[in-house]
Amino acid sequence: MTPAKITGLVPILQTPFDSTGLIDTEALRRVVDYNIEAGVDGLGIALASEVQLFNESERDQLLKTAVDQSNGRVPVVMNTGAIGTDLAVHYSRKAEELGADAVMLTPPGSKVASGNPEVTKQYFRDIASSVNIAMVIQDVEFAQVPPAMVAELASECAEIVACKMETPPTAPRIAATVDAVQGNIEVLGGGGATFLMEELGRGSTGTMPFSSTPVEFAQVFKLYRSGETDAAGELFNERIAPLCHLVSQSPAIAVEFHKQILVKRDLIASSSVRQPAAQIDSHTQRDIDKLLERVIV
């Protein structure tokens, strides 16, 4: 097995719904094409895709549609984390069966796991041994994977090709992880890419933002990779940072906010999200409208 390489710009897809609340697969296909044509390095399905609110049939439909539309042009990463090891193994094997190039998992986050590092490590080992595709470790504030543990697991499991480090503050988390893994795996940022420039400056090799602004992110990456770091930072601050700033004030509205961007770009018909969800108040919606008029071109 030669695991897929997960690095660079890997947006997490937002899931569009039709007027009846079902997954709008045609709109999803447009979002997939829009991202690939913008120059992304991969696509992800994860919490920002609302998978935690989907039944198994919907999870499968979402992944199958993304895999079919991407048609091998970029790798597709599927979040298969779960509160229990057996369920995570089930999700991971299903993702492989449906054509995912990689699975991504947070640790269980339970009191048992958080209080015993060996439990967390065994969780990842068991899942790595159950699939024949690449694996990405996801570290988040509510379910952390310390940099030293990431390095240890990566040295043991050939399936682990990357990690997504999101425990804040993310810049020092990225730096510590880069030092720990010594180039053995890719180190990516997340958190909506709010601190992308700081993370890149500390050795991150990519990020997993929302799928609403791939053109802007691709331009930033192109400039940064060519050594034009100041120009990359200026573009980020002009086109992406204002979006991150708005969401940072109300993180719970992030998914709907980014769907509004996709609506403005005529890629999806509705910005509706699965319930229960935070409601955007009139003041915030006014701010969103003004921002999108200025930033999204």
Side-chain angles (χ1 to χ4, degrees), residues 55-87:
N55 60 41
E56 292 208 18
S57 177
E58 290 173 319
R59 287 175 61 98
D60 293 352
Q61 181 186 27
L62 178 59
L63 177 56
K64 284 192 292 186
T65 303
V67 168
D68 180 67
Q69 194 65 24
S70 63
N71 194 28
R73 290 178 288 173
V74 297
V76 176
V77 183
M78 180 68 177
N79 183 299
T80 57
I83 194 66
T85 301
D86 288 348
L87 185 56

mmCIF file of all heavy atoms in Angstrom, residues 55-87:
data_model
loop_
_atom_site.group_PDB
_atom_site.id
_atom_site.type_symbol
_atom_site.label_atom_id
_atom_site.label_comp_id
_atom_site.label_asym_id
_atom_site.label_seq_id
_atom_site.Cartn_x
_atom_site.Cartn_y
_atom_site.Cartn_z
ATOM 1 N N ASN A 55 -27.324 10.559 9.380
ATOM 2 C CA ASN A 55 -27.420 9.120 9.575
ATOM 3 C C ASN A 55 -26.418 8.438 8.629
ATOM 4 O O ASN A 55 -25.778 9.092 7.798
ATOM 5 C CB ASN A 55 -28.849 8.624 9.338
ATOM 6 C CG ASN A 55 -29.362 8.916 7.936
ATOM 7 O OD1 ASN A 55 -28.651 8.780 6.951
ATOM 8 N ND2 ASN A 55 -30.634 9.318 7.842
ATOM 9 N N GLU A 56 -26.275 7.129 8.764
ATOM 10 C CA GLU A 56 -25.247 6.430 8.001
ATOM 11 C C GLU A 56 -25.499 6.493 6.497
ATOM 12 O O GLU A 56 -24.564 6.610 5.704
ATOM 13 C CB GLU A 56 -25.134 4.982 8.466
ATOM 14 C CG GLU A 56 -24.577 4.862 9.875
ATOM 15 C CD GLU A 56 -23.834 3.564 10.110
ATOM 16 O OE1 GLU A 56 -23.454 2.895 9.135
ATOM 17 O OE2 GLU A 56 -23.629 3.225 11.290
ATOM 18 N N SER A 57 -26.746 6.442 6.094
ATOM 19 C CA SER A 57 -27.064 6.534 4.671
ATOM 20 C C SER A 57 -26.629 7.885 4.102
ATOM 21 O O SER A 57 -26.090 7.957 2.989
ATOM 22 C CB SER A 57 -28.564 6.336 4.461
ATOM 23 O OG SER A 57 -28.910 6.499 3.101
ATOM 24 N N GLU A 58 -26.847 8.938 4.864
ATOM 25 C CA GLU A 58 -26.448 10.276 4.406
ATOM 26 C C GLU A 58 -24.930 10.423 4.376
ATOM 27 O O GLU A 58 -24.372 11.036 3.459
ATOM 28 C CB GLU A 58 -27.064 11.332 5.321
ATOM 29 C CG GLU A 58 -28.570 11.462 5.179
ATOM 30 C CD GLU A 58 -29.168 12.396 6.212
ATOM 31 O OE1 GLU A 58 -28.752 12.349 7.396
ATOM 32 O OE2 GLU A 58 -30.059 13.178 5.834
ATOM 33 N N ARG A 59 -24.258 9.869 5.377
ATOM 34 C CA ARG A 59 -22.780 9.883 5.368
ATOM 35 C C ARG A 59 -22.270 9.222 4.094
ATOM 36 O O ARG A 59 -21.367 9.733 3.419
ATOM 37 C CB ARG A 59 -22.230 9.152 6.591
ATOM 38 C CG ARG A 59 -22.357 9.867 7.917
ATOM 39 C CD ARG A 59 -21.887 8.954 9.059
ATOM 40 N NE ARG A 59 -20.493 8.593 8.902
ATOM 41 C CZ ARG A 59 -19.476 9.196 9.519
ATOM 42 N NH1 ARG A 59 -19.709 10.188 10.362
ATOM 43 N NH2 ARG A 59 -18.231 8.802 9.326
ATOM 44 N N ASP A 60 -22.841 8.068 3.778
ATOM 45 C CA ASP A 60 -22.403 7.333 2.600
ATOM 46 C C ASP A 60 -22.704 8.118 1.326
ATOM 47 O O ASP A 60 -21.868 8.181 0.408
ATOM 48 C CB ASP A 60 -23.103 5.975 2.537
ATOM 49 C CG ASP A 60 -22.685 5.033 3.653
ATOM 50 O OD1 ASP A 60 -21.733 5.363 4.400
ATOM 51 O OD2 ASP A 60 -23.319 3.964 3.787
ATOM 52 N N GLN A 61 -23.882 8.724 1.257
ATOM 53 C CA GLN A 61 -24.256 9.494 0.072
ATOM 54 C C GLN A 61 -23.304 10.667 -0.138
ATOM 55 O O GLN A 61 -22.882 10.943 -1.273
ATOM 56 C CB GLN A 61 -25.689 10.002 0.212
ATOM 57 C CG GLN A 61 -26.183 10.791 -0.994
ATOM 58 C CD GLN A 61 -27.558 11.410 -0.761
ATOM 59 O OE1 GLN A 61 -27.937 11.701 0.376
ATOM 60 N NE2 GLN A 61 -28.318 11.594 -1.831
ATOM 61 N N LEU A 62 -22.973 11.354 0.935
ATOM 62 C CA LEU A 62 -22.067 12.498 0.854
ATOM 63 C C LEU A 62 -20.698 12.074 0.339
ATOM 64 O O LEU A 62 -20.139 12.686 -0.588
ATOM 65 C CB LEU A 62 -21.946 13.150 2.239
ATOM 66 C CG LEU A 62 -21.005 14.341 2.376
ATOM 67 C CD1 LEU A 62 -21.427 15.472 1.443
ATOM 68 C CD2 LEU A 62 -20.981 14.837 3.825
ATOM 69 N N LEU A 63 -20.155 11.008 0.933
ATOM 70 C CA LEU A 63 -18.829 10.551 0.523
ATOM 71 C C LEU A 63 -18.835 10.021 -0.908
ATOM 72 O O LEU A 63 -17.945 10.354 -1.705
ATOM 73 C CB LEU A 63 -18.331 9.476 1.491
ATOM 74 C CG LEU A 63 -16.972 8.840 1.144
ATOM 75 C CD1 LEU A 63 -15.891 9.902 1.015
ATOM 76 C CD2 LEU A 63 -16.592 7.796 2.183
ATOM 77 N N LYS A 64 -19.822 9.195 -1.256
ATOM 78 C CA LYS A 64 -19.875 8.635 -2.607
ATOM 79 C C LYS A 64 -19.959 9.729 -3.652
ATOM 80 O O LYS A 64 -19.313 9.644 -4.710
ATOM 81 C CB LYS A 64 -21.070 7.681 -2.728
ATOM 82 C CG LYS A 64 -20.861 6.338 -2.054
ATOM 83 C CD LYS A 64 -21.925 5.317 -2.444
ATOM 84 C CE LYS A 64 -23.279 5.672 -1.903
ATOM 85 N NZ LYS A 64 -24.278 4.589 -2.168
ATOM 86 N N THR A 65 -20.746 10.770 -3.378
ATOM 87 C CA THR A 65 -20.883 11.864 -4.341
ATOM 88 C C THR A 65 -19.565 12.617 -4.507
ATOM 89 O O THR A 65 -19.146 12.927 -5.631
ATOM 90 C CB THR A 65 -21.987 12.841 -3.898
ATOM 91 O OG1 THR A 65 -23.220 12.137 -3.747
ATOM 92 C CG2 THR A 65 -22.164 13.960 -4.901
ATOM 93 N N ALA A 66 -18.892 12.903 -3.386
ATOM 94 C CA ALA A 66 -17.617 13.622 -3.447
ATOM 95 C C ALA A 66 -16.553 12.810 -4.179
ATOM 96 O O ALA A 66 -15.793 13.346 -5.003
ATOM 97 C CB ALA A 66 -17.154 13.967 -2.042
ATOM 98 N N VAL A 67 -16.495 11.512 -3.887
ATOM 99 C CA VAL A 67 -15.515 10.644 -4.548
ATOM 100 C C VAL A 67 -15.799 10.548 -6.042
ATOM 101 O O VAL A 67 -14.890 10.650 -6.877
ATOM 102 C CB VAL A 67 -15.523 9.244 -3.896
ATOM 103 C CG1 VAL A 67 -14.730 8.246 -4.748
ATOM 104 C CG2 VAL A 67 -14.935 9.307 -2.488
ATOM 105 N N ASP A 68 -17.067 10.371 -6.394
ATOM 106 C CA ASP A 68 -17.440 10.246 -7.797
ATOM 107 C C ASP A 68 -17.119 11.518 -8.572
ATOM 108 O O ASP A 68 -16.560 11.469 -9.672
ATOM 109 C CB ASP A 68 -18.930 9.925 -7.902
ATOM 110 C CG ASP A 68 -19.386 9.778 -9.341
ATOM 111 O OD1 ASP A 68 -18.957 8.823 -10.003
ATOM 112 O OD2 ASP A 68 -20.169 10.637 -9.813
ATOM 113 N N GLN A 69 -17.458 12.681 -7.980
ATOM 114 C CA GLN A 69 -17.239 13.931 -8.703
ATOM 115 C C GLN A 69 -15.764 14.298 -8.773
ATOM 116 O O GLN A 69 -15.311 14.866 -9.764
ATOM 117 C CB GLN A 69 -18.045 15.061 -8.057
ATOM 118 C CG GLN A 69 -18.147 16.309 -8.903
ATOM 119 C CD GLN A 69 -18.918 16.082 -10.204
ATOM 120 O OE1 GLN A 69 -19.737 15.172 -10.301
ATOM 121 N NE2 GLN A 69 -18.650 16.905 -11.201
ATOM 122 N N SER A 70 -15.015 13.998 -7.741
ATOM 123 C CA SER A 70 -13.573 14.306 -7.773
ATOM 124 C C SER A 70 -12.872 13.410 -8.782
ATOM 125 O O SER A 70 -11.882 13.814 -9.403
ATOM 126 C CB SER A 70 -12.954 14.152 -6.385
ATOM 127 O OG SER A 70 -13.047 12.811 -5.943
ATOM 128 N N ASN A 71 -13.361 12.174 -8.932
ATOM 129 C CA ASN A 71 -12.900 11.264 -9.988
ATOM 130 C C ASN A 71 -11.379 11.140 -10.028
ATOM 131 O O ASN A 71 -10.762 11.149 -11.094
ATOM 132 C CB ASN A 71 -13.428 11.747 -11.346
ATOM 133 C CG ASN A 71 -13.297 10.690 -12.428
ATOM 134 O OD1 ASN A 71 -13.307 9.499 -12.140
ATOM 135 N ND2 ASN A 71 -13.155 11.137 -13.677
ATOM 136 N N GLY A 72 -10.775 11.051 -8.836
ATOM 137 C CA GLY A 72 -9.333 10.846 -8.759
ATOM 138 C C GLY A 72 -8.489 12.075 -8.984
ATOM 139 O O GLY A 72 -7.253 12.005 -8.980
ATOM 140 N N ARG A 73 -9.121 13.220 -9.195
ATOM 141 C CA ARG A 73 -8.339 14.435 -9.465
ATOM 142 C C ARG A 73 -7.589 14.916 -8.235
ATOM 143 O O ARG A 73 -6.483 15.458 -8.340
ATOM 144 C CB ARG A 73 -9.265 15.541 -9.995
ATOM 145 C CG ARG A 73 -9.802 15.276 -11.396
ATOM 146 C CD ARG A 73 -10.743 16.368 -11.851
ATOM 147 N NE ARG A 73 -12.030 16.316 -11.152
ATOM 148 C CZ ARG A 73 -12.981 17.240 -11.258
ATOM 149 N NH1 ARG A 73 -12.761 18.324 -12.014
ATOM 150 N NH2 ARG A 73 -14.129 17.105 -10.613
ATOM 151 N N VAL A 74 -8.196 14.754 -7.057
ATOM 152 C CA VAL A 74 -7.542 15.074 -5.788
ATOM 153 C C VAL A 74 -7.962 14.021 -4.772
ATOM 154 O O VAL A 74 -9.024 13.400 -4.911
ATOM 155 C CB VAL A 74 -7.918 16.484 -5.258
ATOM 156 C CG1 VAL A 74 -7.460 17.575 -6.208
ATOM 157 C CG2 VAL A 74 -9.422 16.574 -4.987
ATOM 158 N N PRO A 75 -7.164 13.780 -3.732
ATOM 159 C CA PRO A 75 -7.581 12.827 -2.696
ATOM 160 C C PRO A 75 -8.746 13.356 -1.868
ATOM 161 O O PRO A 75 -8.866 14.561 -1.655
ATOM 162 C CB PRO A 75 -6.321 12.655 -1.843
ATOM 163 C CG PRO A 75 -5.505 13.882 -2.097
ATOM 164 C CD PRO A 75 -5.805 14.286 -3.506
ATOM 165 N N VAL A 76 -9.597 12.439 -1.420
ATOM 166 C CA VAL A 76 -10.734 12.773 -0.576
ATOM 167 C C VAL A 76 -10.520 12.167 0.802
ATOM 168 O O VAL A 76 -10.252 10.964 0.930
ATOM 169 C CB VAL A 76 -12.053 12.244 -1.177
ATOM 170 C CG1 VAL A 76 -13.220 12.527 -0.235
ATOM 171 C CG2 VAL A 76 -12.303 12.880 -2.546
ATOM 172 N N VAL A 77 -10.639 13.011 1.825
ATOM 173 C CA VAL A 77 -10.426 12.605 3.215
ATOM 174 C C VAL A 77 -11.773 12.566 3.926
ATOM 175 O O VAL A 77 -12.536 13.527 3.843
ATOM 176 C CB VAL A 77 -9.492 13.592 3.947
ATOM 177 C CG1 VAL A 77 -9.211 13.115 5.370
ATOM 178 C CG2 VAL A 77 -8.193 13.784 3.180
ATOM 179 N N MET A 78 -12.056 11.472 4.639
ATOM 180 C CA MET A 78 -13.327 11.329 5.345
ATOM 181 C C MET A 78 -13.102 11.240 6.841
ATOM 182 O O MET A 78 -12.294 10.431 7.311
ATOM 183 C CB MET A 78 -14.048 10.057 4.871
ATOM 184 C CG MET A 78 -15.383 9.796 5.545
ATOM 185 S SD MET A 78 -16.624 11.038 5.056
ATOM 186 C CE MET A 78 -18.088 10.428 5.906
ATOM 187 N N ASN A 79 -13.835 12.064 7.595
ATOM 188 C CA ASN A 79 -13.764 11.988 9.060
ATOM 189 C C ASN A 79 -14.513 10.744 9.521
ATOM 190 O O ASN A 79 -15.695 10.576 9.232
ATOM 191 C CB ASN A 79 -14.385 13.241 9.683
ATOM 192 C CG ASN A 79 -14.266 13.256 11.197
ATOM 193 O OD1 ASN A 79 -14.783 12.386 11.875
ATOM 194 N ND2 ASN A 79 -13.582 14.262 11.718
ATOM 195 N N THR A 80 -13.815 9.876 10.257
ATOM 196 C CA THR A 80 -14.421 8.624 10.725
ATOM 197 C C THR A 80 -14.270 8.449 12.232
ATOM 198 O O THR A 80 -14.405 7.343 12.746
ATOM 199 C CB THR A 80 -13.789 7.415 10.001
ATOM 200 O OG1 THR A 80 -12.366 7.431 10.215
ATOM 201 C CG2 THR A 80 -14.070 7.471 8.507
ATOM 202 N N GLY A 81 -13.985 9.533 12.927
ATOM 203 C CA GLY A 81 -13.850 9.447 14.374
ATOM 204 C C GLY A 81 -15.162 9.097 15.047
ATOM 205 O O GLY A 81 -16.239 9.382 14.533
ATOM 206 N N ALA A 82 -15.064 8.464 16.207
ATOM 207 C CA ALA A 82 -16.261 8.074 16.951
ATOM 208 C C ALA A 82 -15.915 7.956 18.431
ATOM 209 O O ALA A 82 -14.738 7.904 18.807
ATOM 210 C CB ALA A 82 -16.812 6.750 16.433
ATOM 211 N N ILE A 83 -16.941 7.889 19.263
ATOM 212 C CA ILE A 83 -16.742 7.794 20.702
ATOM 213 C C ILE A 83 -16.192 6.431 21.105
ATOM 214 O O ILE A 83 -15.603 6.274 22.172
ATOM 215 C CB ILE A 83 -18.059 8.099 21.448
ATOM 216 C CG1 ILE A 83 -17.801 8.351 22.934
ATOM 217 C CG2 ILE A 83 -19.060 6.998 21.234
ATOM 218 C CD1 ILE A 83 -17.004 9.605 23.220
ATOM 219 N N GLY A 84 -16.375 5.424 20.245
ATOM 220 C CA GLY A 84 -15.886 4.078 20.538
ATOM 221 C C GLY A 84 -15.011 3.551 19.425
ATOM 222 O O GLY A 84 -15.204 3.882 18.247
ATOM 223 N N THR A 85 -14.057 2.707 19.764
ATOM 224 C CA THR A 85 -13.126 2.173 18.775
ATOM 225 C C THR A 85 -13.837 1.354 17.703
ATOM 226 O O THR A 85 -13.565 1.508 16.507
ATOM 227 C CB THR A 85 -12.056 1.310 19.465
ATOM 228 O OG1 THR A 85 -11.358 2.102 20.425
ATOM 229 C CG2 THR A 85 -11.059 0.772 18.455
ATOM 230 N N ASP A 86 -14.752 0.464 18.104
ATOM 231 C CA ASP A 86 -15.435 -0.383 17.130
ATOM 232 C C ASP A 86 -16.205 0.435 16.110
ATOM 233 O O ASP A 86 -16.210 0.116 14.914
ATOM 234 C CB ASP A 86 -16.386 -1.351 17.836
ATOM 235 C CG ASP A 86 -15.660 -2.454 18.585
ATOM 236 O OD1 ASP A 86 -14.439 -2.606 18.365
ATOM 237 O OD2 ASP A 86 -16.301 -3.150 19.390
ATOM 238 N N LEU A 87 -16.863 1.506 16.564
ATOM 239 C CA LEU A 87 -17.618 2.355 15.642
ATOM 240 C C LEU A 87 -16.676 3.100 14.705
ATOM 241 O O LEU A 87 -16.958 3.236 13.510
ATOM 242 C CB LEU A 87 -18.487 3.341 16.421
ATOM 243 C CG LEU A 87 -19.420 4.226 15.592
ATOM 244 C CD1 LEU A 87 -20.337 3.384 14.703
ATOM 245 C CD2 LEU A 87 -20.242 5.132 16.503
#
